[in-house]
Amino acid sequence: MTKTTTDEKAGRLRSAKAVAHRLKRRHADYSSHAHHARAPDAATGEEEAQVDCGWGRLLFAQTFKEPARLIAALREEAPEHRDIAIYVGDPHVVLATAPQELFLDPSHTFRLELPTYRGSRKQPRGFFVRRLSSEVDARAVNRIYASRGMVPVRPDFFWSNRDNRSITYLVAEDENTGEVIGTVTGIDHRRAFDDPEQGSSLWCLAVDPQARHAGIGEALVRRLAEHFKARGASFMDLSVLHDNEQAIGLYEKLHFRRIPAFTVKRKNSINERLYAAPLEEYDVLNPYARLIVDEARRRGVNVEITDAEGGFFRLSQGGRSVHCRESLSELTSGVAMSICDDKAVTRRVVERAGLLVPAQMTAADDDAALSAFLEEHGRVVVKPARGEQGRAVAVGLDGLDAVKQAISDARDVCDRVLIEACFEGEDLRLVVIDFRLVAAAVRRPPHVMGDGRKTIRSLIEAQSRRRSAATGGESTIPIDGETERCLKLSDLALDDVLEKGRDVVVRKAANLHTGGSIHDVTEIVHPRLVEAAITAARAINIPVVGIDFMVRSPTEPDYVFIEANERPGLANHEPQPTAEKFLDLLFPLSGHRAASLALGKL
């Protein structure tokens, strides 16, 4: 009996050793394939390697000999930063050691084999890719990061690292405007920690949601791949969220392939959406509601979504509860809301407060009165007295027939239609919260650039798809009578082929929902415009409002008041802290203010 038991034990031991050996071999094969499990020795690589990227550190987990050391490094994450441990060979072991602090990032790792990579003969149209070269570029990159919900970087960090051979910053620049419209960061692993695998990686690929050119992301990825290939790198890796189908589609098109490599991060407010159970119906919310909900959850303010499709939610903290519809809250009175709802009433209220307003009349079936108004002012704007999102607004009309048609279209939205003198210039939105300017942005109408091959209709449809993708479906360019009228002013029609390089405005109204774009001018807006916007907010007595002016330039004092929006969209004003200021108004003791009070800094 004893002998049999001993034999059985010996047999089990041999079997266990064989299994362990097979698992060890399988793990070695897996690690070799993924290039992430082997810690380099002193002769071939640096131990506990990390690279500061400004938004956080990249920790190369394969250079940490013990999980405890990697966890200790992750615990050194700076406030408001996001550290990432990549190539974690045994994530289950790391997570088991600190399950309350860490989580497995729900991202896939993709790899591009650079020795076999072949570049594209297709050249970018309307933009070019270059290195980041100034602090102006750095600020533009941060603006794009903010627009994509990414962690910003101190602008001086980019500039101070311009000679860092481990980090490569590329930007895409619009050929016509000179604006930075895309960015990508690359890390050279060999120069970062003498990587024996001779690898590299791609991070922070982001395209300006206002950009109207196709292929910006692809051009940035290709340029970075060519850069690392020229340096002799073996591969270029990247990490992408598992449900980012658009990005994954791009990488697969460029022949990236998935590899079994894992990423671990700390549980913090920035990463919360990646590891915490999502709010019920969160995905149904539009971007304007989601922006506020995200900021509330980041601060620890409780969120209850009461009607996702309508954008309604309740925020509560301590004994305080506020019901909101996007940026419209219970703090806005019914009287203030009704003033903003009727454009004619809004005009009278702000005019009495001293603001400059355009000449206006109410549309009636009186051709003589219409003709006289048109003759006096030359060009006019027709809009419904009540309405939103730019529906049935026609701008720059100079003929009686066009005005009458626009009136007919506007009456489908509201029985009462207003006609105003047209002020030539730019459409300026000023967001005022708690009677302070939070953001100022020029809103520009949608336009397309010809390529000598596609019809204007095709160009509009392509641009509309890009605007929709960039704004969560909030911005599209309608193809309707107003679009045709606008094109006719340039002697064009929808089925005409637009010559290469020609830029054409396809709608006069600069509303975001009809394809317009938003460009931040907060730092340069003229003080008189700010003063006028705050005066309008006080006249209406509304705590959160979007004041719309027509201006010759945001840097000049001339303006006319257009309207006040009681529910301004707080998204698309990056890098301005619109959602943060909204939460400061609703819950003054939440967020940074509460921390400052606790530390005696206020």
Side-chain angles (χ1 to χ4, degrees):
M1 185 71 175
T2 303
K3 185 177 186 302
T4 304
T5 303
T6 303
D7 289 345
E8 286 178 352
K9 286 182 178 179
R12 290 193 190 105
L13 181 61
R14 286 192 298 272
S15 177
K17 286 181 176 179
V19 169
H21 180 68
R22 288 196 300 272
L23 288 174
K24 185 176 180 180
R25 287 188 59 188
R26 185 180 301 170
H27 179 70
D29 292 342
Y30 177 91
S31 301
S32 176
H33 174 69
H35 293 270
H36 73 280
R38 190 169 62 228
D41 56 36
T44 58
E46 182 181 317
E47 291 187 2
E48 300 191 4
Q50 53 189 268
V51 175
D52 185 359
C53 297
W55 40 260
R57 297 169 301 157
L58 288 179
L59 307 176
F60 293 88
Q62 76 271 37
T63 69
F64 287 76
K65 291 183 177 179
E66 299 292 336
R69 296 296 305 161
L70 179 61
I71 293 167
L74 283 167
R75 285 173 177 155
E76 296 172 357
E77 181 181 71
E80 301 299 321
H81 283 63
R82 180 192 60 174
D83 289 350
I84 303 175
I86 57 176
Y87 306 125
V88 181
D90 294 310
H92 54 297
V93 176
V94 174
L95 296 179
T97 307
Q100 302 303 319
E101 298 178 72
L102 308 178
F103 71 99
L104 186 65
D105 183 38
S107 295
H108 296 321
T109 303
F110 280 81
R111 170 166 295 174
L112 181 66
E113 301 290 351
L114 293 177
T116 58
Y117 169 73
R118 296 292 179 267
S120 173
R121 295 180 180 179
K122 183 179 177 182
Q123 295 299 312
R125 293 179 177 271
F127 68 94
F128 58 92
V129 177
R130 60 171 175 80
R131 282 181 177 268
L132 182 145
S133 61
S134 69
E135 291 193 38
V136 174
D137 287 348
R139 287 193 293 271
V141 167
N142 262 340
R143 174 182 56 79
I144 295 173
Y145 284 174
S147 72
R148 295 300 190 180
M150 299 162 68
V151 180
V153 178
R154 297 189 329 271
D156 64 291
F157 179 89
F158 291 105
W159 193 239
S160 62
N161 279 273
R162 65 189 183 278
D163 295 325
N164 185 336
R165 302 187 72 194
S166 299
I167 307 177
T168 300
Y169 299 112
L170 300 180
V171 296
E173 178 181 321
D174 189 296
E175 288 181 350
N176 295 317
T177 65
E179 293 180 346
V180 171
I181 54 177
T183 179
V184 70
T185 301
I187 305 294
D188 188 326
H189 298 181
R190 293 175 302 166
R191 293 180 175 179
F193 63 97
D194 195 19
D195 178 20
E197 304 292 348
Q198 300 185 6
S200 65
S201 54
L202 176 155
W203 300 91
C204 299
L205 175 65
V207 175
D208 189 338
Q210 310 291 350
R212 57 198 179 92
H213 301 294
I216 298 171
E218 179 177 342
L220 286 164
V221 174
R222 286 189 179 279
R223 178 66 177 275
L224 191 64
E226 291 161 5
H227 168 75
F228 284 133
K229 181 175 181 176
R231 282 188 173 186
S234 297
F235 58 83
M236 183 172 75
D237 288 351
L238 57 85
S239 181
V240 57
L241 280 173
H242 70 97
D243 57 356
N244 190 344
E245 295 179 1
Q246 185 177 12
I248 290 173
L250 168 63
Y251 302 138
E252 290 178 340
K253 170 187 172 183
L254 298 180
H255 302 295
F256 281 79
R257 60 181 177 84
R258 272 189 63 185
I259 62 171
F262 301 100
T263 299
V264 168
K265 298 177 182 176
R266 282 192 72 227
K267 292 180 178 178
N268 58 30
S269 59
I270 296 172
N271 295 325
E272 183 177 6
R273 65 186 180 87
L274 300 177
Y275 64 83
L279 283 169
E280 188 176 355
E281 294 192 291
Y282 173 84
D283 291 337
V284 181
L285 292 174
N286 64 37
Y288 308 105
R290 202 176 299 161
L291 179 76
I292 298 169
V293 166
D294 288 344
E295 176 62 18
R297 297 189 77 192
R298 191 182 70 81
R299 294 178 180 221
V301 174
N302 184 64
V303 178
E304 176 193 358
I305 299 174
T306 54
D307 187 277
E309 291 184 7
F312 289 88
F313 50 87
R314 184 179 298 279
L315 305 178
S316 57
Q317 187 179 57
R320 183 176 177 83
S321 175
V322 184
H323 206 186
C324 305
R325 185 184 188 188
E326 299 164 14
S327 65
L328 176 65
S329 77
E330 293 173 325
L331 275 63
T332 296
S333 70
V335 172
M337 184 172 174
S338 64
I339 290 172
C340 294
D341 181 56
D342 191 319
K343 294 177 174 62
V345 174
T346 316
R347 180 182 182 277
R348 293 197 296 269
V349 169
V350 301
E351 185 178 18
R352 286 195 291 268
L355 270 69
L356 302 175
V357 297
Q360 185 185 89
M361 67 173 286
T362 301
D365 295 327
D366 185 343
D367 287 1
L370 286 176
S371 296
F373 192 86
L374 191 58
E375 183 176 352
E376 179 182 358
H377 300 290
R379 295 161 68 86
V380 299
V381 177
V382 174
K383 59 186 179 183
R386 291 178 173 173
E388 58 182 9
Q389 299 184 351
R391 287 181 296 176
V393 175
V395 180
L397 306 177
D398 58 3
L400 183 60
D401 289 342
V403 171
K404 292 172 70 175
Q405 180 60 53
I407 291 172
S408 176
D409 294 341
R411 281 180 175 152
D412 291 337
V413 176
C414 178
D415 291 338
R416 191 155 50 91
V417 176
L418 304 177
I419 304 172
E420 289 182 347
C422 186
F423 182 95
E424 296 294 339
E426 292 192 287
D427 188 326
L428 177 68
R429 162 63 62 88
L430 298 108
V431 177
V432 177
I433 298 178
D434 198 17
F435 307 110
R436 296 180 178 87
L437 179 73
V438 172
V442 168
R443 302 188 297 177
R444 292 178 180 143
H447 50 116
V448 297
M449 178 78 71
D451 61 3
R453 297 179 292 111
K454 297 186 181 70
T455 65
I456 295 175
R457 185 189 303 275
S458 296
L459 293 171
I460 292 174
E461 290 171 345
Q463 175 71 350
S464 186
R465 286 193 296 270
R466 287 193 291 274
R467 296 292 299 128
S468 179
T471 60
E474 290 295 308
S475 181
T476 57
I477 307 174
I479 297 179
D480 55 15
E482 173 62 14
T483 310
E484 292 177 328
R485 184 193 68 79
C486 187
L487 290 173
K488 190 174 181 181
L489 295 174
S490 301
D491 295 322
L492 294 169
L494 286 167
D495 294 322
D496 290 345
V497 173
L498 196 60
E499 57 265 34
K500 183 178 179 180
R502 183 177 178 183
D503 193 303
V504 173
V505 173
V506 297
R507 293 182 75 87
K508 289 291 186 180
N511 192 283
L512 176 73
H513 293 87
T514 54
S517 57
I518 298 179
H519 306 266
D520 180 68
V521 295
T522 308
E523 300 301 321
I524 62 172
V525 67
H526 195 281
R528 185 180 174 190
L529 303 179
V530 176
E531 180 185 357
I534 294 172
T535 298
R538 290 194 180 278
I540 301 168
N541 194 23
I542 187 168
V544 179
V545 65
I547 301 295
D548 293 343
F549 291 155
M550 287 299 295
V551 299
R552 303 204 184 283
S553 166
T555 61
E556 297 178 10
D558 299 325
Y559 75 93
V560 293
F561 173 87
I562 301 302
E563 64 182 40
N565 190 319
E566 76 281 1
R567 182 162 50 101
L570 300 185
N572 307 305
H573 283 283
E574 297 80 10
Q576 306 309 324
T578 52
E580 290 92 325
K581 295 300 183 183
F582 183 70
L583 265 293
D584 286 345
L585 172 70
L586 270 53
F587 299 93
L589 297 183
S590 67
H592 295 296
R593 183 176 176 82
S596 298
L597 281 170
L599 295 171
K601 294 183 179 180
L602 283 181

